[in-house]
Amino acid sequence: MERFITNMPKTELHLHLEGSLEPEMMFRLAKRNNIELPFPSVEALRDAYNFNNLQEFLDLYYQGADVLQTEQDFYDLTWAYLQRCKAENVMHIEPFFDPQTHTDRGIPFDIPITGILRALEDGQVRLGISYKLIMCFLRHLSEESAFETLRQATPYRNQLTAVGLDSSEKGNPPEKFSRVFEAAREMGLLTVAHAGEEGPAQYIWDALDLLGVSRVDHGVRAIEDPILMQRLIDESIALTVCPLSNLKLCVFRRMEDHNILDMLDRGIKVTVNSDDPAYFGGYVNANYLALEKALGMTKQQAIKLAANSIEFSFASETRKARLLSELQLFARQHQCEL
Ligand code: ADE
Ligand code: ZN
C-alpha cells in the first residue's frame, strides 16, 4: 500500500508553508539569522510537539516562525516543501501563507511573498509542480489588520488565487471577516476558510454564507449537522481534511474515530492533506497511509480521495484534465475506477 500511495498522482490543497518548517531547518535558520531558540536541540524541540488543542500548537508555531527573516529563508522553506512534493508524487499544490505572522514582527510584506513565489516558480519549471497561492488572514487579529494585509497584497493580486482564514477558530467566527472577504472577492480572488475544525458546524454555514467560500478547510464537524451535510453534498463543496493534524490536536481521540471515510462514502467531497507536516508527523502520503492503517482505507477509496484533490483544486481546466488522465491510467493499472 505504501508504494501504491506514493505512486498515486495527487494534489495538496491544505498546507501552511510555515507549518512545513522542520526542526532541523528551524535551527539552521536560527543560526544563520543569529536568533536564540528557547530549545537546546532538535530533539528537545520535537519532544515539545505534544498538543492538547489548536491553541497550544499555534503558540509554538508562531514562535517557530520567528526564524524566518529574509527572502532567502522563505525561498528555502518553500523549496524544501516542493522537494517533498516531488518525492511524494504531489503534482499540484495550493499552499497557504500567513503574512501577518511576519509583518507583525517587522518583516515587510514583500519579503515572504517574493521568496515564496520565486520558489514556486522554480518548482513549476524545474519539478513540474503547478501551484496556486493562497494568502490567509489570522482570525485572532482584527478586521482592520486583515484589511491592511489585503491592501498590501494588491500589487501581487495576479500572483494570488484566493484568500483564506486560519488561526484560533473558537471565538473568532467567520462573521468577523465578512467585509474583508467581500473586498477580496471584489478583487476577483476566490475564498476558502478554516471552519469546523474545533469550532461548531455553524461556522461552516457562516463560511459558506458570509464568506462565500469555494472550499472548507477541515470541516470535520459538519457531521454533527445532517442539514449541512446534505448541503455539502448537493452543492459539491469540498472539505480539505487533515487526518494527522486532527489526531495531534485532539479533534479526534484516535485515528480509528476519524470520520473522513464515512464522509467519503456518504458523498461528501473530502480530500487528504497534511496541514502543518513538520509539527504533526507527516506529509500527505503519511496522511493517506494513516487512513489505511487505522480505518482500512481501500485502494479504490484512496483513488477517489486523490480524484477529489484534483477536481476541487483551483488548477486550470487543462491542468485538471491532464492530472485526471494520469490518475485514470494509474487507476486502470490497479483495477480501480475513477
Ligand atoms: N494555522 C496553521 N495550522 C492551522 C490549523 N490547523 N488551524 C488553524 N490555523 C492554523
Ligand atoms: Zn490548516
Side-chain angles (χ1 to χ4, degrees):
M1 193 65 164
E2 197 166 341
R3 231 185 57 210
F4 175 88
I5 288 168
T6 302
N7 292 337
M8 181 173 70
K10 62 189 85 69
T11 82
E12 179 154 55
L13 307 179
H14 185 157
L15 176 285
H16 302 263
L17 284 168
E18 293 90 345
S20 70
L21 177 59
E22 292 286 344
E24 289 79 6
M25 185 179 283
M26 200 189 289
F27 271 81
R28 200 154 48 77
L29 296 182
K31 194 163 169 218
R32 186 155 98 184
N33 295 323
N34 279 317
I35 292 167
E36 196 162 339
L37 289 174
F39 295 92
S41 66
V42 163
E43 294 69 36
L45 178 56
R46 268 222 172 82
D47 284 348
Y49 291 177
N50 275 304
F51 314 109
N52 292 303
N53 52 48
L54 175 59
Q55 194 58 51
E56 285 187 13
F57 154 69
L58 289 170
D59 292 343
L60 214 63
Y61 162 86
Y62 294 128
Q63 187 184 83
D66 282 351
V67 302
L68 296 162
Q69 299 273 330
T70 66
E71 192 205 312
Q72 190 62 40
D73 297 341
F74 286 94
Y75 180 95
D76 292 351
L77 175 74
T78 309
W79 186 249
Y81 169 59
L82 280 158
Q83 286 183 309
R84 290 284 192 151
C85 292
K86 186 69 185 170
E88 299 205 354
N89 225 2
V90 178
M91 308 179 82
H92 172 85
I93 56 175
E94 303 192 352
F96 301 130
F97 76 115
D98 294 334
Q100 289 153 298
T101 300
H102 315 298
T103 52
D104 268 24
R105 55 192 176 86
I107 309 283
F109 182 90
D110 309 81
I111 297 274
I113 196 165
T114 50
I116 290 168
L117 284 168
R118 190 158 60 81
L120 291 173
E121 272 303 304
D122 281 354
Q124 175 127 286
V125 174
R126 290 164 57 186
L127 308 175
I129 299 170
S130 53
Y131 71 90
K132 300 285 177 188
L133 183 59
I134 303 176
M135 177 179 86
C136 283
F137 302 116
L138 297 180
R139 68 202 303 161
H140 68 276
L141 299 179
S142 65
E143 178 194 39
E144 187 191 353
S145 173
F147 264 113
E148 172 58 16
T149 304
L150 186 62
R151 188 193 66 72
Q152 290 175 315
T154 313
Y156 300 95
R157 158 68 196 88
N158 293 335
Q159 277 82 25
L160 292 171
T161 297
V163 295
L165 188 63
D166 62 4
S167 193
S168 321
E169 186 181 9
K170 285 185 190 162
N172 294 298
E175 151 198 347
K176 183 174 164 186
F177 297 94
S178 58
R179 287 185 295 201
V180 72
F181 268 60
E182 189 182 341
R185 290 199 312 273
E186 276 168 11
M187 287 167 67
L189 292 163
L190 296 169
T191 63
V192 297
H194 284 52
E197 177 186 17
E198 278 191 346
Q202 182 61 45
Y203 283 14
I204 303 174
W205 285 102
D206 293 347
L208 294 168
D209 294 331
L210 306 178
L211 306 181
V213 298
S214 306
R215 289 193 304 247
V216 174
D217 297 316
H218 294 294
V220 290
R221 289 192 58 190
I223 208 148
E224 296 166 18
D225 182 339
I227 299 172
L228 175 60
M229 288 285 280
Q230 196 55 50
R231 178 172 179 192
L232 297 177
I233 294 166
D234 292 345
E235 297 180 20
S236 284
I237 294 156
L239 307 184
T240 64
V241 179
C242 307
L244 288 172
S245 163
N246 293 154
L247 188 67
K248 276 294 239 185
L249 301 186
C250 306
V251 172
F252 296 94
R253 202 170 59 79
R254 305 175 313 148
M255 193 59 89
E256 286 76 7
D257 300 332
H258 205 290
N259 61 19
I260 181 170
L261 296 186
D262 184 19
M263 294 230 239
L264 180 73
D265 294 342
R266 292 207 225 170
I268 304 265
K269 307 298 185 184
V270 283
T271 61
V272 176
N273 307 272
S274 70
D275 207 4
D276 302 283
Y279 292 87
F280 300 148
Y283 288 76
V284 72
N285 287 353
N287 277 271
Y288 278 97
L289 215 52
L291 299 181
E292 194 245 341
K293 193 154 175 263
L295 299 168
M297 177 187 70
T298 63
K299 289 183 176 172
Q300 184 59 59
Q301 285 174 317
I303 283 176
K304 183 69 201 153
L305 291 162
N308 286 346
S309 85
I310 297 169
E311 190 179 340
F312 295 95
S313 75
F314 297 142
S316 69
E317 291 306 319
T318 327
R319 181 69 178 151
K320 284 197 218 181
R322 173 74 199 262
L323 296 180
L324 279 174
S325 75
E326 290 204 24
L327 184 62
Q328 173 85 268
L329 190 68
F330 177 84
R332 275 208 210 102
Q333 285 164 353
H334 292 88
Q335 289 81 47
C336 292
E337 291 163 13
L338 263 205

